[in-house]
Amino acid sequence: MESRLAQFASLSQKDKVAAYQSLFNELISHDDQSNLPADVHTLVDNVVNQDSVGLVISRLILSELVKALSEGRVKDTQVRKVIVQDTLDIVQPRIVSYEEQVSTQATAHVYPLLQVNVLRFQLADILEEEEEWSEAARVLMGISLDSGQRALPDEEKLRVYVRIVRLLLEDEDSVQAERFYNRAALLAHTATNDKVTLLSFKLCQARISDYSRKFLEAASRYHELSWVSEIDEEERKHMLTAAMTCAILAPAGPNRSRVLASLCRDERTQDLPSFKILEKMFRDRILRSNEIKEFEGTLKSHQLAQIEISNNDRLAASVVADDEDVNDPTVSTRKGPSTVLDRAVMEHNLLACSKVYNNITFRGLGTLLDVTPGAAETMARKMIEQGRLKGSIDQVEKLITFDVLREEDDAQGKAGGLGDVEQVEEDTGAPFTKRWDMQIRLTAANVETIVQHLTEKGLVSFGTVQA
């Protein structure tokens, strides 16, 4: 190979073109391609790094190599992978200098950046097939998207960014994935005619929210995607399952109640394993630890992340409700939730407790949640501060009183969330509906009494209706 390339040096430029092209065709046409990576490496190194060869020949050889790889003339995947990697390693040091030439001289001597990009796409495809997600993403990160005269259109940039995000999320690298997602979000408006890219972007959006623990937002996005007919049925089922999981992990409160109502209204959820827990949460029923064991096994690692308790919360949790609690073995020593799931279940049980009891002591709530009385008070205080729980705390009496008369927010999440759905059962399992109806009756009765009293005093009068 080296001797033949040395002979080409004495040829004229015109003859060199034909000689190099003939040599390449001869190499790529061999039936035995075991030595092909080494031969291609020698040839590419010669045309790229030898200044006597010229840009015309280097562009030609790289174009022919890209074409041959795209047409599948190299059958073995590992051989193709080695060739692409070697070619990129050889070309990369020369990219910057040629890019500067392109940007300062508007001539036809353009270094084949497009061919290099195609090689990167091919290498990314191979690595993705081998499930080397992060490596494939790093290859795509090296693509020159805004380089001189060869800047890619916005739609193509969006496809690259979305693919990078998807690959990084496969390896659960959510931090770096979110960085490229933010870039993609700036170009999302350009994918008006590309439904595939737009759906991929929306899926990445949902997964980023999931990994960022914005579970309410993720549940809504997953549920929305589960209705898209263009997506495969099995994938839609998977998205619906993800929506249910995120809804269960979401912070308890009116907003979550709306999402739970939307999912319970969806008939497809009844056939999924998590429906029992979802339904119990929707109906404000207390969950026991043995009921969530099976559900816990379906969660991903980021959904089981450990929660760090702040120093203030740790100090508050150490405060006992009564002096006799110090040596009481029945009082829990846990100072708060340990995982995302643990926190979601505790907050739900606290909210469900407010539907059952008018008030409860710190110790009683701590026993229910399996935490110290101080930790139970801290959790209730935070939920009241955030508007997710209606009630008040009496620290002197060590008592939490739930506001059962002002649940307008929960009303919107429950009955309002269901819209005009026909209710088959009168007793929904939550006393809120009866309380709401009673308030309507009392308000109407009070209005009628006031009007009657004013009429008796002669302060108001009603004219007759003319037929």
Side-chain angles (χ1 to χ4, degrees), residues 422-466:
E422 180 182 357
Q423 296 296 318
V424 179
E425 299 179 5
E426 178 66 23
D427 185 10
T428 60
F432 145 76
T433 304
K434 294 180 180 179
R435 295 172 186 167
W436 180 256
D437 292 341
M438 182 58 69
Q439 290 304 310
I440 294 176
R441 294 191 187 98
L442 290 175
T443 302
N446 289 335
V447 171
E448 185 177 359
T449 301
I450 292 172
V451 172
Q452 184 178 1
H453 180 72
L454 293 175
T455 303
E456 292 174 353
K457 295 290 185 179
L459 299 177
V460 295
S461 61
F462 300 93
T464 58
V465 179
Q466 298 294 330

Side-chain angles (χ1 to χ4, degrees), residues 24-79:
F24 176 80
N25 291 334
E26 179 183 337
L27 292 176
I28 208 71
S29 300
H30 282 166
D31 294 333
D32 183 10
Q33 296 184 339
S34 57
N35 295 325
L36 184 60
D39 293 337
V40 171
H41 176 88
T42 303
L43 177 60
V44 172
D45 182 68
N46 181 268
V47 299
V48 170
N49 295 321
Q50 294 295 327
D51 295 334
S52 60
V53 175
L55 282 172
V56 175
I57 296 176
S58 63
R59 292 178 59 199
L60 173 65
I61 295 301
L62 281 179
S63 298
E64 290 295 325
L65 177 59
V66 170
K67 182 180 178 182
L69 293 173
S70 301
E71 293 176 351
R73 297 175 66 180
V74 180
K75 304 298 182 183
D76 189 88
T77 302
Q78 290 302 317
V79 172

Side-chain angles (χ1 to χ4, degrees), residues 59 99 102 107-115 117 144-153 157:
R59 292 178 59 199
E99 280 184 342
V102 171
T107 65
H109 301 291
V110 179
Y111 197 78
L113 295 175
L114 293 181
Q115 284 88 340
N117 288 346
S144 302
L145 300 179
D146 300 288
S147 178
Q149 306 294 323
R150 294 292 181 176
L152 295 178
K157 292 179 187 177

Side-chain angles (χ1 to χ4, degrees), residues 91 95 113 142 164 220 246 286 306 355 362 409-410:
V91 171
I95 284 287
L113 295 175
I164 291 174
S220 299
C246 290
I286 294 175
Q306 296 291 320
K355 310 296 182 181
F362 294 170
D409 291 338
D410 284 338

Side-chain angles (χ1 to χ4, degrees), residues 322-359:
D322 297 296
D323 295 337
E324 59 268 20
D325 291 342
V326 177
N327 299 319
D328 191 344
T330 62
V331 176
S332 175
T333 58
R334 294 181 63 194
K335 297 182 179 180
S338 57
T339 64
V340 174
L341 175 61
D342 201 13
R343 180 177 60 188
V345 172
M346 284 187 184
E347 289 184 352
H348 164 75
N349 285 342
L350 177 53
L351 194 62
C353 178
S354 70
K355 310 296 182 181
V356 178
Y357 303 107
N358 290 329
N359 53 59

